[in-house]
Structure formats: structure tokens, C-alpha cells
Amino acid sequence: MPSESQIEMELRKLGLNEKEVKVYLRGLELGPASAKEISDVVKIPRATVYEIIKSLKEKGLFSEIKVKKKRKFVANSPREILGILRIKKREIEEKEREFLRIIAALEAKYLKEKGLRVFKGKKGIETFLEILSFTREPEIIIVNQNLLPIPEKK
């Protein structure tokens, strides 16, 4: 089982800052608690704890509930962290698509001497198809060694 410091480090990799990690972990420990109760445990001013909880709520890691007409905050299940990962994954995939569009546009505009490009494997085919969808090349030659084997020199 990972140590608390390892868990904190992994949460930081997901984009939580040090104080968010502290509040989230103590929130898991405490269950429904007031901002003051959380503040006392994590040793962070109550006003700051409110801001941190607001940030964690936006990330889907904290909720607000009413207990006997009092406002309490509760840390959501750690499974909600997968939501953060999925959002980051979508953002990265979108950045990759945008970058491929930019590469194709830059190559079309600035490369005076067109060269040979090699795409290997499944990822290479995916990259090639992505670039192909944005290219303005008048002619593309595809060589597939499986269809037309090139004999080895002896």
C-alpha cells in the first residue's frame, strides 16, 4: 500500500496543489465537516479552506451538504479522480490533434524541398492518416513492404 507521501505526490501530478491535497485527504478522513473543522486539522486559515473547497468542488472532489441546517463539506470518492484523468486525457488528445494540424500547415507552407517521411506501426499509420487529412500535397506515394516486398541485398 502506498504511503501518504506517495499518495500526495500522485495527487500533485494530477494538478492539485499542496493545500488542495491536504484538504482533500483530511476531508476523506473526517467525513462531513465544517470549514472550521477542516481548517483546524490542516492548519490553514478558514477563509483559505473555503477557497480550496470551492476549487475542489469544481474538480468534482468535494461536495457541500446540509446537516441540521448547518453547512458541511465532504470529500467525494477517490474514484472521482478518474474524472480528472479523463479530462486531462481529452485535453491532451485535443492538443495533439491541433499540433498535427499546425505541423501539416507549417510543412505545406515552409518546406521548399519535400522529403521522404516514414511512418511505422499502428501509431505511425494513425499519425499518417491524421496528417493526410490536413495536407494539400498534390501527390502522395505510399510504399507498403507487405504488399510489395523489397528484396534484401546479399
mmCIF file of all heavy atoms in Angstrom, residues 120-151:
data_model
loop_
_atom_site.group_PDB
_atom_site.id
_atom_site.type_symbol
_atom_site.label_atom_id
_atom_site.label_comp_id
_atom_site.label_asym_id
_atom_site.label_seq_id
_atom_site.Cartn_x
_atom_site.Cartn_y
_atom_site.Cartn_z
ATOM 1 N N LYS A 120 5.841 4.125 -39.193
ATOM 2 C CA LYS A 120 5.890 2.694 -38.904
ATOM 3 C C LYS A 120 4.884 2.311 -37.841
ATOM 4 O O LYS A 120 4.633 3.077 -36.913
ATOM 5 C CB LYS A 120 7.284 2.304 -38.416
ATOM 6 C CG LYS A 120 8.366 2.423 -39.455
ATOM 7 C CD LYS A 120 9.684 1.941 -38.919
ATOM 8 C CE LYS A 120 10.756 2.032 -39.978
ATOM 9 N NZ LYS A 120 12.035 1.519 -39.488
ATOM 10 N N GLY A 121 4.338 1.129 -37.973
ATOM 11 C CA GLY A 121 3.462 0.576 -36.946
ATOM 12 C C GLY A 121 2.085 1.224 -36.918
ATOM 13 O O GLY A 121 1.761 2.112 -37.705
ATOM 14 N N LYS A 122 1.287 0.749 -36.001
ATOM 15 C CA LYS A 122 -0.093 1.234 -35.869
ATOM 16 C C LYS A 122 -0.115 2.730 -35.561
ATOM 17 O O LYS A 122 -0.901 3.481 -36.137
ATOM 18 C CB LYS A 122 -0.811 0.452 -34.770
ATOM 19 C CG LYS A 122 -2.263 0.812 -34.629
ATOM 20 C CD LYS A 122 -2.956 -0.011 -33.564
ATOM 21 C CE LYS A 122 -4.411 0.428 -33.477
ATOM 22 N NZ LYS A 122 -5.132 -0.228 -32.432
ATOM 23 N N LYS A 123 0.730 3.197 -34.639
ATOM 24 C CA LYS A 123 0.767 4.615 -34.282
ATOM 25 C C LYS A 123 1.206 5.449 -35.480
ATOM 26 O O LYS A 123 0.686 6.542 -35.704
ATOM 27 C CB LYS A 123 1.709 4.831 -33.086
ATOM 28 C CG LYS A 123 1.577 6.178 -32.464
ATOM 29 C CD LYS A 123 0.234 6.343 -31.806
ATOM 30 C CE LYS A 123 0.112 7.694 -31.175
ATOM 31 N NZ LYS A 123 -1.233 8.036 -30.812
ATOM 32 N N GLY A 124 2.136 4.922 -36.267
ATOM 33 C CA GLY A 124 2.580 5.622 -37.457
ATOM 34 C C GLY A 124 1.461 5.785 -38.468
ATOM 35 O O GLY A 124 1.309 6.841 -39.087
ATOM 36 N N ILE A 125 0.644 4.734 -38.630
ATOM 37 C CA ILE A 125 -0.500 4.803 -39.546
ATOM 38 C C ILE A 125 -1.494 5.844 -39.054
ATOM 39 O O ILE A 125 -2.007 6.652 -39.828
ATOM 40 C CB ILE A 125 -1.168 3.421 -39.692
ATOM 41 C CG1 ILE A 125 -0.226 2.479 -40.443
ATOM 42 C CG2 ILE A 125 -2.511 3.531 -40.411
ATOM 43 C CD1 ILE A 125 -0.668 1.025 -40.451
ATOM 44 N N GLU A 126 -1.758 5.847 -37.748
ATOM 45 C CA GLU A 126 -2.684 6.830 -37.184
ATOM 46 C C GLU A 126 -2.161 8.252 -37.419
ATOM 47 O O GLU A 126 -2.926 9.139 -37.818
ATOM 48 C CB GLU A 126 -2.881 6.584 -35.683
ATOM 49 C CG GLU A 126 -3.647 5.319 -35.369
ATOM 50 C CD GLU A 126 -3.651 4.961 -33.885
ATOM 51 O OE1 GLU A 126 -3.105 5.736 -33.068
ATOM 52 O OE2 GLU A 126 -4.197 3.901 -33.548
ATOM 53 N N THR A 127 -0.885 8.462 -37.186
ATOM 54 C CA THR A 127 -0.283 9.782 -37.400
ATOM 55 C C THR A 127 -0.371 10.175 -38.871
ATOM 56 O O THR A 127 -0.747 11.299 -39.203
ATOM 57 C CB THR A 127 1.187 9.791 -36.931
ATOM 58 O OG1 THR A 127 1.230 9.425 -35.554
ATOM 59 C CG2 THR A 127 1.832 11.154 -37.128
ATOM 60 N N PHE A 128 -0.041 9.221 -39.747
ATOM 61 C CA PHE A 128 -0.095 9.489 -41.187
ATOM 62 C C PHE A 128 -1.503 9.881 -41.620
ATOM 63 O O PHE A 128 -1.696 10.855 -42.345
ATOM 64 C CB PHE A 128 0.372 8.267 -41.977
ATOM 65 C CG PHE A 128 0.110 8.382 -43.449
ATOM 66 C CD1 PHE A 128 0.859 9.244 -44.233
ATOM 67 C CD2 PHE A 128 -0.902 7.640 -44.043
ATOM 68 C CE1 PHE A 128 0.605 9.362 -45.594
ATOM 69 C CE2 PHE A 128 -1.157 7.766 -45.404
ATOM 70 C CZ PHE A 128 -0.405 8.618 -46.183
ATOM 71 N N LEU A 129 -2.508 9.144 -41.172
ATOM 72 C CA LEU A 129 -3.897 9.443 -41.541
ATOM 73 C C LEU A 129 -4.320 10.810 -41.029
ATOM 74 O O LEU A 129 -5.038 11.545 -41.719
ATOM 75 C CB LEU A 129 -4.835 8.348 -41.034
ATOM 76 C CG LEU A 129 -4.675 6.987 -41.721
ATOM 77 C CD1 LEU A 129 -5.548 5.944 -41.034
ATOM 78 C CD2 LEU A 129 -4.980 7.075 -43.205
ATOM 79 N N GLU A 130 -3.873 11.158 -39.824
ATOM 80 C CA GLU A 130 -4.199 12.474 -39.264
ATOM 81 C C GLU A 130 -3.564 13.576 -40.114
ATOM 82 O O GLU A 130 -4.215 14.545 -40.471
ATOM 83 C CB GLU A 130 -3.719 12.558 -37.816
ATOM 84 C CG GLU A 130 -4.073 13.836 -37.119
ATOM 85 C CD GLU A 130 -5.532 13.959 -36.719
ATOM 86 O OE1 GLU A 130 -6.175 12.930 -36.489
ATOM 87 O OE2 GLU A 130 -6.020 15.095 -36.663
ATOM 88 N N ILE A 131 -2.298 13.416 -40.469
ATOM 89 C CA ILE A 131 -1.611 14.411 -41.293
ATOM 90 C C ILE A 131 -2.229 14.454 -42.692
ATOM 91 O O ILE A 131 -2.449 15.521 -43.249
ATOM 92 C CB ILE A 131 -0.093 14.109 -41.355
ATOM 93 C CG1 ILE A 131 0.541 14.358 -39.979
ATOM 94 C CG2 ILE A 131 0.591 14.943 -42.437
ATOM 95 C CD1 ILE A 131 1.965 13.891 -39.867
ATOM 96 N N LEU A 132 -2.553 13.292 -43.244
ATOM 97 C CA LEU A 132 -3.136 13.203 -44.574
ATOM 98 C C LEU A 132 -4.444 13.984 -44.661
ATOM 99 O O LEU A 132 -4.729 14.621 -45.680
ATOM 100 C CB LEU A 132 -3.375 11.733 -44.941
ATOM 101 C CG LEU A 132 -3.944 11.454 -46.332
ATOM 102 C CD1 LEU A 132 -2.968 11.931 -47.400
ATOM 103 C CD2 LEU A 132 -4.228 9.971 -46.489
ATOM 104 N N SER A 133 -5.202 13.970 -43.582
ATOM 105 C CA SER A 133 -6.491 14.656 -43.610
ATOM 106 C C SER A 133 -6.337 16.176 -43.700
ATOM 107 O O SER A 133 -7.292 16.860 -44.031
ATOM 108 C CB SER A 133 -7.326 14.277 -42.381
ATOM 109 O OG SER A 133 -6.750 14.781 -41.211
ATOM 110 N N PHE A 134 -5.137 16.699 -43.435
ATOM 111 C CA PHE A 134 -4.924 18.147 -43.470
ATOM 112 C C PHE A 134 -3.932 18.595 -44.554
ATOM 113 O O PHE A 134 -3.694 19.773 -44.702
ATOM 114 C CB PHE A 134 -4.424 18.638 -42.108
ATOM 115 C CG PHE A 134 -5.401 18.416 -41.012
ATOM 116 C CD1 PHE A 134 -5.211 17.394 -40.091
ATOM 117 C CD2 PHE A 134 -6.542 19.200 -40.903
ATOM 118 C CE1 PHE A 134 -6.129 17.179 -39.086
ATOM 119 C CE2 PHE A 134 -7.457 18.987 -39.907
ATOM 120 C CZ PHE A 134 -7.251 17.972 -38.990
ATOM 121 N N THR A 135 -3.380 17.652 -45.285
ATOM 122 C CA THR A 135 -2.345 18.012 -46.249
ATOM 123 C C THR A 135 -2.950 18.548 -47.539
ATOM 124 O O THR A 135 -4.082 18.242 -47.882
ATOM 125 C CB THR A 135 -1.411 16.820 -46.545
ATOM 126 O OG1 THR A 135 -0.315 17.299 -47.312
ATOM 127 C CG2 THR A 135 -2.119 15.724 -47.313
ATOM 128 N N ARG A 136 -2.154 19.347 -48.230
ATOM 129 C CA ARG A 136 -2.554 19.868 -49.541
ATOM 130 C C ARG A 136 -1.624 19.337 -50.629
ATOM 131 O O ARG A 136 -1.562 19.902 -51.719
ATOM 132 C CB ARG A 136 -2.520 21.388 -49.529
ATOM 133 C CG ARG A 136 -3.548 21.986 -48.616
ATOM 134 C CD ARG A 136 -3.502 23.477 -48.708
ATOM 135 N NE ARG A 136 -4.405 24.043 -47.713
ATOM 136 C CZ ARG A 136 -4.464 25.310 -47.414
ATOM 137 N NH1 ARG A 136 -3.689 26.162 -48.022
ATOM 138 N NH2 ARG A 136 -5.312 25.757 -46.508
ATOM 139 N N GLU A 137 -0.908 18.278 -50.303
ATOM 140 C CA GLU A 137 0.032 17.711 -51.264
ATOM 141 C C GLU A 137 -0.710 17.213 -52.498
ATOM 142 O O GLU A 137 -1.727 16.529 -52.371
ATOM 143 C CB GLU A 137 0.796 16.532 -50.640
ATOM 144 C CG GLU A 137 1.805 16.933 -49.594
ATOM 145 C CD GLU A 137 2.936 17.774 -50.152
ATOM 146 O OE1 GLU A 137 3.403 17.507 -51.278
ATOM 147 O OE2 GLU A 137 3.349 18.719 -49.460
ATOM 148 N N PRO A 138 -0.189 17.539 -53.707
ATOM 149 C CA PRO A 138 -0.861 17.074 -54.915
ATOM 150 C C PRO A 138 -0.625 15.582 -55.176
ATOM 151 O O PRO A 138 -1.401 14.938 -55.859
ATOM 152 C CB PRO A 138 -0.235 17.938 -56.017
ATOM 153 C CG PRO A 138 1.102 18.321 -55.474
ATOM 154 C CD PRO A 138 0.931 18.407 -53.989
ATOM 155 N N GLU A 139 0.452 15.044 -54.605
ATOM 156 C CA GLU A 139 0.792 13.653 -54.871
ATOM 157 C C GLU A 139 1.383 13.028 -53.618
ATOM 158 O O GLU A 139 2.255 13.602 -52.975
ATOM 159 C CB GLU A 139 1.801 13.581 -56.018
ATOM 160 C CG GLU A 139 2.173 12.180 -56.407
ATOM 161 C CD GLU A 139 3.131 12.158 -57.596
ATOM 162 O OE1 GLU A 139 4.039 13.016 -57.644
ATOM 163 O OE2 GLU A 139 2.970 11.287 -58.447
ATOM 164 N N ILE A 140 0.908 11.843 -53.287
ATOM 165 C CA ILE A 140 1.427 11.105 -52.139
ATOM 166 C C ILE A 140 1.711 9.684 -52.611
ATOM 167 O O ILE A 140 0.850 9.047 -53.229
ATOM 168 C CB ILE A 140 0.415 11.085 -50.981
ATOM 169 C CG1 ILE A 140 0.189 12.505 -50.470
ATOM 170 C CG2 ILE A 140 0.888 10.161 -49.861
ATOM 171 C CD1 ILE A 140 -0.890 12.618 -49.427
ATOM 172 N N ILE A 141 2.900 9.211 -52.336
ATOM 173 C CA ILE A 141 3.270 7.851 -52.705
ATOM 174 C C ILE A 141 3.366 7.041 -51.418
ATOM 175 O O ILE A 141 4.032 7.434 -50.469
ATOM 176 C CB ILE A 141 4.620 7.824 -53.462
ATOM 177 C CG1 ILE A 141 4.507 8.639 -54.747
ATOM 178 C CG2 ILE A 141 5.043 6.385 -53.737
ATOM 179 C CD1 ILE A 141 5.819 8.850 -55.454
ATOM 180 N N ILE A 142 2.688 5.901 -51.431
ATOM 181 C CA ILE A 142 2.681 5.023 -50.261
ATOM 182 C C ILE A 142 3.375 3.730 -50.646
ATOM 183 O O ILE A 142 3.022 3.101 -51.654
ATOM 184 C CB ILE A 142 1.245 4.744 -49.787
ATOM 185 C CG1 ILE A 142 0.563 6.056 -49.398
ATOM 186 C CG2 ILE A 142 1.242 3.741 -48.647
ATOM 187 C CD1 ILE A 142 -0.908 5.917 -49.083
ATOM 188 N N VAL A 143 4.345 3.330 -49.855
ATOM 189 C CA VAL A 143 5.037 2.070 -50.059
ATOM 190 C C VAL A 143 4.748 1.192 -48.852
ATOM 191 O O VAL A 143 4.966 1.591 -47.716
ATOM 192 C CB VAL A 143 6.568 2.273 -50.210
ATOM 193 C CG1 VAL A 143 7.272 0.952 -50.375
ATOM 194 C CG2 VAL A 143 6.869 3.210 -51.370
ATOM 195 N N ASN A 144 4.247 0.015 -49.139
ATOM 196 C CA ASN A 144 3.948 -0.945 -48.081
ATOM 197 C C ASN A 144 4.719 -2.211 -48.395
ATOM 198 O O ASN A 144 4.395 -2.929 -49.341
ATOM 199 C CB ASN A 144 2.440 -1.210 -48.026
ATOM 200 C CG ASN A 144 2.072 -2.153 -46.903
ATOM 201 O OD1 ASN A 144 2.862 -2.982 -46.488
ATOM 202 N ND2 ASN A 144 0.858 -2.013 -46.418
ATOM 203 N N GLN A 145 5.736 -2.509 -47.620
ATOM 204 C CA GLN A 145 6.609 -3.644 -47.886
ATOM 205 C C GLN A 145 5.849 -4.965 -47.840
ATOM 206 O O GLN A 145 6.221 -5.918 -48.496
ATOM 207 C CB GLN A 145 7.782 -3.674 -46.914
ATOM 208 C CG GLN A 145 8.804 -4.713 -47.315
ATOM 209 C CD GLN A 145 10.099 -4.569 -46.560
ATOM 210 O OE1 GLN A 145 10.308 -3.610 -45.865
ATOM 211 N NE2 GLN A 145 10.972 -5.535 -46.729
ATOM 212 N N ASN A 146 4.758 -5.038 -47.101
ATOM 213 C CA ASN A 146 3.983 -6.283 -47.043
ATOM 214 C C ASN A 146 3.288 -6.558 -48.369
ATOM 215 O O ASN A 146 3.080 -7.714 -48.747
ATOM 216 C CB ASN A 146 2.948 -6.220 -45.935
ATOM 217 C CG ASN A 146 3.611 -6.182 -44.558
ATOM 218 O OD1 ASN A 146 4.703 -6.684 -44.364
ATOM 219 N ND2 ASN A 146 2.956 -5.554 -43.615
ATOM 220 N N LEU A 147 2.912 -5.511 -49.096
ATOM 221 C CA LEU A 147 2.247 -5.675 -50.379
ATOM 222 C C LEU A 147 3.246 -5.856 -51.510
ATOM 223 O O LEU A 147 2.998 -6.567 -52.476
ATOM 224 C CB LEU A 147 1.347 -4.481 -50.679
ATOM 225 C CG LEU A 147 0.193 -4.258 -49.694
ATOM 226 C CD1 LEU A 147 -0.554 -2.986 -50.062
ATOM 227 C CD2 LEU A 147 -0.757 -5.450 -49.706
ATOM 228 N N LEU A 148 4.386 -5.185 -51.422
ATOM 229 C CA LEU A 148 5.406 -5.239 -52.464
ATOM 230 C C LEU A 148 6.766 -5.383 -51.786
ATOM 231 O O LEU A 148 7.464 -4.390 -51.554
ATOM 232 C CB LEU A 148 5.354 -3.944 -53.317
ATOM 233 C CG LEU A 148 6.303 -3.854 -54.483
ATOM 234 C CD1 LEU A 148 6.005 -4.940 -55.510
ATOM 235 C CD2 LEU A 148 6.204 -2.482 -55.131
ATOM 236 N N PRO A 149 7.112 -6.615 -51.403
ATOM 237 C CA PRO A 149 8.375 -6.796 -50.652
ATOM 238 C C PRO A 149 9.601 -6.322 -51.438
ATOM 239 O O PRO A 149 9.689 -6.491 -52.631
ATOM 240 C CB PRO A 149 8.437 -8.310 -50.427
ATOM 241 C CG PRO A 149 7.056 -8.804 -50.694
ATOM 242 C CD PRO A 149 6.424 -7.842 -51.641
ATOM 243 N N ILE A 150 10.509 -5.704 -50.735
ATOM 244 C CA ILE A 150 11.760 -5.246 -51.306
ATOM 245 C C ILE A 150 12.820 -6.294 -50.945
ATOM 246 O O ILE A 150 13.059 -6.535 -49.753
ATOM 247 C CB ILE A 150 12.165 -3.861 -50.757
ATOM 248 C CG1 ILE A 150 11.068 -2.844 -51.097
ATOM 249 C CG2 ILE A 150 13.519 -3.423 -51.312
ATOM 250 C CD1 ILE A 150 11.243 -1.511 -50.410
ATOM 251 N N PRO A 151 13.413 -6.904 -51.965
ATOM 252 C CA PRO A 151 14.384 -7.963 -51.645
ATOM 253 C C PRO A 151 15.624 -7.394 -50.953
ATOM 254 O O PRO A 151 16.055 -6.284 -51.265
ATOM 255 C CB PRO A 151 14.735 -8.568 -53.012
ATOM 256 C CG PRO A 151 14.349 -7.528 -54.005
ATOM 257 C CD PRO A 151 13.264 -6.690 -53.383
#
